[in-house]
Amino acid sequence: NAGVMQNPRHLVRRRGQEARLRCSPMKGHSHVYWYRQLPEEGLKFMVYLQKENIIDESGMPKERFSAEFPKEGPSILRIQQVVRGDSAAYFCASSLRAGGSYEQYFGPGTRLTVT
Amino acid sequence: RKEVEQDPGPFNVPEGATVAFNCTYSNSASQSFFWYRQDCRKEPKLLMSVYSSGNEDGRFTAQLNRASQYISLLIRDSKLSDSATYLCVVNRWDSGYALNFGKGTSLLVTP
């Protein structure tokens, strides 16, 4: 039973390029969460999605960041015009049911480096 | 003030020792509480949920004090494999879905 899958595991982008991070939830899970971990910092919530809907994006930066979870395929976190401050580990998590009280299973993360 | 605060450590203990981690949270609306473990900045993994009545899982015991807004984790008979960063995690009923993570406490168990 595959866990949460993320790809790529490592991504290098130059300033101004676009970064696309993919997340496939655990089988049977329809709730997806994205978190960011900056160097020497704790994980910070970014966005919560269900299929085709953004439920809570209170942690998303107002500009350049967007997320989607289409009916078919993985969830995508998109960062346009990346800057050095975007360098971080981006973790995706999924859960069987909605709500923070239910266990969220994390993927291995995508480490984004902006040069 | 940060929502979830932990002593960053590091805690260096010998094998077999008992070690305790503390965590405080600032928002009284907090509803659910967890300890996660993170190895070398890999993905966090749930260690245990924390209940008001306290709960135990083998060598690990977690306690919650809602009045003091304080959570603890006790590890008995430490193993080398317990070396990791322990994350205190809180979910508020009014934030719905977001898990709020502390920065973590680093533990190194030495032979």
Side-chain angles (χ1 to χ4, degrees), chain B residues 2-108:
Chain B
K2 292 184 179 172
E3 187 152 350
V4 182
E5 296 210 55
Q6 299 180 246
D7 180 346
F11 285 62
N12 294 333
V13 302
E15 269 187 292
T18 295
V19 61
F21 304 138
N22 303 319
C23 166
T24 57
Y25 59 95
S26 61
N27 195 309
S28 58
S30 298
Q31 179 187 35
S32 304
F33 309 89
F34 310 91
W35 283 101
Y36 275 72
R37 169 187 170 139
Q38 186 175 30
D39 293 82
C40 298
R41 296 181 77 80
K42 293 183 178 178
E43 72 270 27
K45 294 185 178 178
L46 179 66
L47 183 64
M48 57 199 309
S49 300
V50 188
Y51 307 113
S52 296
S53 55
N55 49 306
E56 186 174 313
D57 183 2
R59 298 181 294 107
F60 299 84
T61 301
Q63 295 279 352
L64 166 64
N65 185 322
R66 285 188 183 270
S68 302
Q69 297 182 192
Y70 170 95
I71 307 162
S72 66
L73 176 68
L74 184 76
I75 305 176
R76 290 180 299 278
D77 189 23
S78 299
K79 312 291 184 191
L80 296 177
S81 58
D82 294 334
S83 298
T85 297
Y86 290 83
L87 308 175
C88 178
V89 184
V90 170
N91 166 249
R92 300 191 336 242
W93 69 267
D94 58 346
S95 71
Y97 312 103
L99 293 180
N100 296 292
F101 285 80
K103 289 179 69 172
T105 299
S106 176
L107 171 66
L108 179 63

Side-chain angles (χ1 to χ4, degrees), chain A residues 38-87:
Chain A
L38 293 167
E40 309 305 320
E41 293 292 325
L43 279 83
K44 301 291 185 190
F45 168 78
M46 299 181 75
V47 62
Y48 160 52
L49 311 101
Q50 292 180 27
K51 284 285 187 181
E52 300 185 276
N53 289 303
I54 296 174
I55 307 302
D56 180 357
E57 56 181 348
S58 58
M60 287 277 271
K62 295 287 184 268
E63 297 177 350
R64 303 186 297 107
F65 285 73
S66 62
E68 63 177 9
F69 190 14
K71 188 176 180 181
E72 302 291 337
S75 175
I76 306 285
L77 180 68
R78 181 182 177 204
I79 311 172
Q80 295 178 289
Q81 299 177 311
V82 296
V83 299
R84 288 221 172 103
D86 297 333
S87 295

